[in-house]
Amino acid sequence: MVKTENVTTVELEIDGQKVTAYKDETILQAARRHGFYIPTMCYLTKLKPIASCRLCVVDVEGLDDPVLSCQERVVPGIKVSTQSKSLYDYRQNIMKLYDVNHPLQCGVCPKSGECDLQNKTMEFNVNEQEFAAQEHYRQLEDWGNISYDPYLCILCERCVRVCNEIIGDDALQIKTGGYNSTIVNTKKDDPNVDWGECAAVCPVGALSDKDFKYFTNSWELTKIPAACAHSSLANLIYYEVKREEIYRVRNEYEFDTMSGVCRYGYDFENRGSNSDEDMQKAVEAFQKADTIKFNSIITNEEALILQKLKEQHGYKLINEEAKHFQNFLNAFASVRGKKLYGGDAQRVLDSDYIVVIGTRIASDIPGLKFKINQASKKRTADVIYMHPLEDDSIKTLVTQFVKYEAGSEESVLAMLLDAFLKKDTLPAEAAKFLDRLDTGYISAESNVGEEEIAQMQKRTRRKKKFTIIAGADLYAHPQAENIAKMLGLLEKYSAFEVVMVPPSVNTLGVALICDLDDEAGSYTIGYNENADFVLSALKDAGDVNMPAINQQEGTFTTLNKTVVPTHVALGFDGFCLNDIANNLGLNKRYTIDYTPLLPEEKGFKNEVFDHLPCFFDNEGNEHRGYALENSDVETKIELDEVEELESYDGTIVYICNPNSQKNVFTNICTHLPTDGELVGSTQFATAAKIKDGDNVTIELLGKTVEKAFKLDESLKGTIALMPIFDLGFEGQEIGSKYRFNKAKIRQVNK
């Protein structure tokens, strides 16, 4: 729904009923909000209307001709008619044109049962075709996970506009030629383009998932509402299930956008089992252990169970990734005066000035990259991308790239403070910090020119909403606490709102719920982590099998600071963490019995799981779970001097998964690419004395891993991209450290 800063309403009449609309709304938006039906084919709420299908025509009293409701703004006092004999005939004729030579293959079409063309052909009673056009040969094509059938395509342009306006890629284009017009793909071999969303919005069967096509019918599937487990946005998804098998994942594509790793990374369930004997083994291990080590791909309820086990038995809780985030959040709050950061995904979408720092965002969280692209397209947002590595995949939406030296994030934040804060508005301690800054020195050390910062300042003219997105490079940085305090100053004393990107789906939830420790004890239980005794959701990868996250119900705490529900898609043959906890002195029948017990002092609410909402309304507003309470905290502004930069010479690897992979669970998904090569530039290959296709060993952080090396001409410098999704639980340990690391690279057998 479109609203202005100062909301002004107008009165109008729709089908004889007086309604109130916002002054910037279209007739279609106002009608939908009040429950009036107007048919559309090309329109999507999240896209700009282009009036391609023309089904949305309505009559306005006083006008001779119908108007397009998707584009016409409301006017005070107008009288709109959405249904009439003339409108019906007009829409019926449009449907006849759409149906010209459209193949009659509804019985086997993957879209049958949820096809807009099929539904509206029936709605407007198109029972026969009075004319035809000569058909021409059209090539069927495969595009990664989807296929394109031009015989079925009605050229509504939804896929093209999603690719451009949402995904941020101009790969899909219209090749005009009258009746021979078609969609062309200029990047059909690029595995990093999210084709799945393009297929999701297709109203017919022209674009469809190859792995779903011809396997089942849509009406045979049971839709299970859940949350994406591979992103801290935790988008609303539906697992579509039949006979204990997930056939696909869908989203509310009218309003929301889902990344490819979420759409195709669904079959990670644990098909193993556990037994009474396994329970006995697990309980004995817990009785022996003094430490529980776990990751953040768990529910809030499981995190609370672990916290209660700590309180009852004295276990140390180790989650290095969440501990870094917890410390970072606490340092931020100590300056900001609020428990949580202020921004969220909606703030990004509404912003016209966005700074991204400390994250390779297209890989780390594609869903947030989509929001940035929308802000760029809809709000002409300036996007400043600050990182040691350029990223060709986002170059079309970045207005200024600022390259800094690996490890110099603290210096870069100090320069941003100096540029965007006014000293006379700051507390004495913060003003003194800025007075002591030697900007010339830190500029030279970080390799960020003062003229680049000046250019960033110039871009702020006539901008209204400012957002800075902070990513995982910052949380485990040696100077993370000081960086967090600087971000707190920016949010408190400038126009910026900060958005922190939690690295895993529930990193924020774990950081809020658990009292985490720094060092493990003598005997450790690992919950999907390497340890002395391992509980594993990967089949037979540990001592006892456990259900995967798509086999559990509970809640996640999202990047948006909301608590959202997820439900069981598939069953698991055995017990879960709650059952073990009950054998150790806790007493809850179901895991979700802990939902109303989540700590209110940390912002959670006393809400029963089954009462949590989970839907979008007609306006596109999401009603899912609840928002955390962002309470005040005591402030204490104490900033350290900017540390001298550690030298990152030689061959450096940057821990970064591709956008099509995220963790050990997506690694076992059959519909995702599993290429996990070390990817570097020609300059990196020369420095490391390796070449394209070589198998190499990589020594870093006291560990040695083996990978193939892949040359990428789009990369520059001596920093290579190193994925860890394919390294098992060991990869998770590597990923919890600072992401830039000096590494020794050697050819295997040399």
Side-chain angles (χ1 to χ4, degrees), residues 596-718:
L597 302 180
L598 295 171
E600 293 184 56
E601 69 275 12
K602 299 299 180 67
F604 295 92
K605 296 181 180 179
N606 182 1
E607 296 280 354
V608 176
F609 178 82
D610 289 334
H611 295 170
L612 296 176
C614 191
F615 66 94
F616 281 87
D617 63 24
N618 284 344
E619 299 175 71
N621 298 313
E622 187 177 50
H623 301 269
R624 195 158 61 111
Y626 61 84
L628 290 171
E629 192 73 32
N630 194 2
S631 57
D632 295 333
V633 298
E634 185 178 347
T635 59
K636 188 176 182 180
I637 299 176
E638 293 180 350
L639 293 169
D640 297 328
E641 297 296 320
V642 175
E643 286 288 318
E644 186 174 341
L645 179 64
E646 179 186 352
S647 175
Y648 279 81
D649 298 324
T651 49
I652 309 299
V653 296
Y654 177 60
I655 308 303
C656 179
N657 290 316
N659 69 351
S660 56
Q661 281 286 354
K662 284 295 172 285
N663 49 56
V664 294
F665 298 106
T666 60
N667 184 45
I668 65 172
C669 293
T670 55
H671 308 300
L672 294 175
T674 55
D675 299 332
E677 302 102 331
L678 178 71
V679 182
S681 66
T682 301
Q683 188 177 350
F684 178 89
T686 301
K689 299 179 181 179
I690 57 177
K691 61 183 184 300
D692 186 42
D694 280 350
N695 288 325
V696 299
T697 58
I698 306 158
E699 297 178 24
L700 76 164
L701 300 171
K703 300 180 183 295
T704 301
V705 299
E706 185 174 323
K707 284 183 173 290
F709 174 70
K710 181 179 179 181
L711 192 66
D712 187 337
E713 298 293 348
S714 70
L715 293 176
K716 303 176 181 66
T718 56

Side-chain angles (χ1 to χ4, degrees), residues 2 305 534:
V2 179
I305 289 170
V534 177

Side-chain angles (χ1 to χ4, degrees), residues 201-436:
V201 302
C202 180
V204 292
L207 290 176
S208 59
D209 292 326
K210 290 191 295 187
D211 293 308
F212 178 78
K213 205 172 183 179
Y214 306 135
F215 280 90
T216 189
N217 296 304
S218 61
W219 58 84
E220 297 177 296
L221 301 172
T222 301
K223 294 174 66 173
I224 310 294
C228 173
H230 309 316
S231 164
S232 53
L233 285 169
N235 302 71
L236 172 59
I237 64 172
Y238 297 95
Y239 291 113
E240 299 202 343
V241 180
K242 183 175 77 170
R243 292 194 294 268
E244 279 297 299
E245 182 178 350
I246 302 172
Y247 276 73
R248 64 177 177 182
V249 167
R250 301 279 280 171
N251 65 324
E252 296 283 2
Y253 63 79
E254 178 79 28
F255 315 113
D256 198 16
T257 303
M258 181 167 60
S259 67
V261 69
C262 183
R263 186 177 301 279
Y264 299 112
Y266 55 80
D267 55 334
F268 55 88
E269 71 277 359
N270 189 350
R271 293 289 182 176
S273 62
N274 56 39
S275 62
D276 292 341
E277 290 76 13
D278 289 324
M279 174 64 82
Q280 184 63 34
K281 287 188 341 186
V283 170
E284 289 174 358
F286 271 91
Q287 290 170 341
K288 180 180 178 181
D290 57 8
T291 304
I292 304 172
K293 184 180 179 184
F294 63 105
N295 62 40
S296 300
I297 310 175
I298 65 171
T299 63
N300 289 317
E301 291 74 14
E302 290 178 293
L304 184 56
I305 289 170
L306 295 177
Q307 176 62 23
K308 288 190 174 295
L309 288 175
K310 173 176 182 154
E311 293 166 0
Q312 185 163 325
H313 296 283
Y315 296 118
K316 293 184 175 183
L317 295 183
I318 301 295
N319 181 325
E320 191 171 1
E321 175 197 273
K323 179 63 172 174
H324 288 313
F325 192 78
Q326 185 180 73
N327 292 341
F328 196 88
L329 196 59
N330 290 339
F332 173 87
S334 71
V335 172
R336 176 62 183 90
K338 290 284 187 182
K339 187 180 294 293
L340 301 168
Y341 50 89
D344 56 20
Q346 186 61 45
R347 172 71 183 200
V348 174
L349 190 62
D350 293 338
S351 296
D352 53 11
Y353 189 91
I354 302 169
V355 177
V356 181
I357 184 169
T359 171
R360 192 171 174 88
I361 197 160
S363 302
D364 291 347
I365 185 161
L368 199 59
K369 185 209 81 170
F370 300 157
K371 303 292 185 187
I372 295 172
N373 183 64
Q374 287 177 273
S376 173
K377 295 290 195 299
K378 291 184 178 181
R379 314 216 179 261
T380 322
D382 274 300
V383 180
I384 294 86
Y385 180 61
M386 309 184 80
H387 202 266
L389 291 166
E390 289 187 66
D391 185 351
D392 272 7
S393 72
I394 61 171
K395 63 183 179 182
T396 58
L397 61 93
V398 171
T399 50
Q400 183 182 354
F401 172 61
V402 179
K403 181 178 181 179
Y404 57 80
E405 292 295 318
S408 69
E409 288 86 351
E410 183 187 24
S411 296
V412 176
L413 260 296
M415 295 181 74
L416 293 182
L417 290 190
D418 188 61
F420 290 100
L421 296 184
K422 296 178 180 179
K423 293 180 186 177
D424 58 358
T425 66
L426 299 176
E429 182 64 28
K432 289 177 184 177
F433 173 80
L434 292 181
D435 285 335
R436 293 192 299 266

Side-chain angles (χ1 to χ4, degrees), residues 568-579:
V568 175
L570 299 172
F572 174 72
D573 184 17
F575 56 80
C576 64
L577 181 65
N578 182 54
D579 299 315

Side-chain angles (χ1 to χ4, degrees), residues 270 272-274 526-529 533-548 551 572 664-665 729:
N270 189 350
S273 62
N274 56 39
Y527 189 23
N528 292 314
E529 290 281 350
F533 187 91
V534 177
L535 307 172
S536 174
L538 297 174
K539 182 181 178 182
D540 300 331
D543 298 284
V544 172
N545 282 315
M546 298 294 285
Q551 297 170 293
F572 174 72
V664 294
F665 298 106
F729 296 145

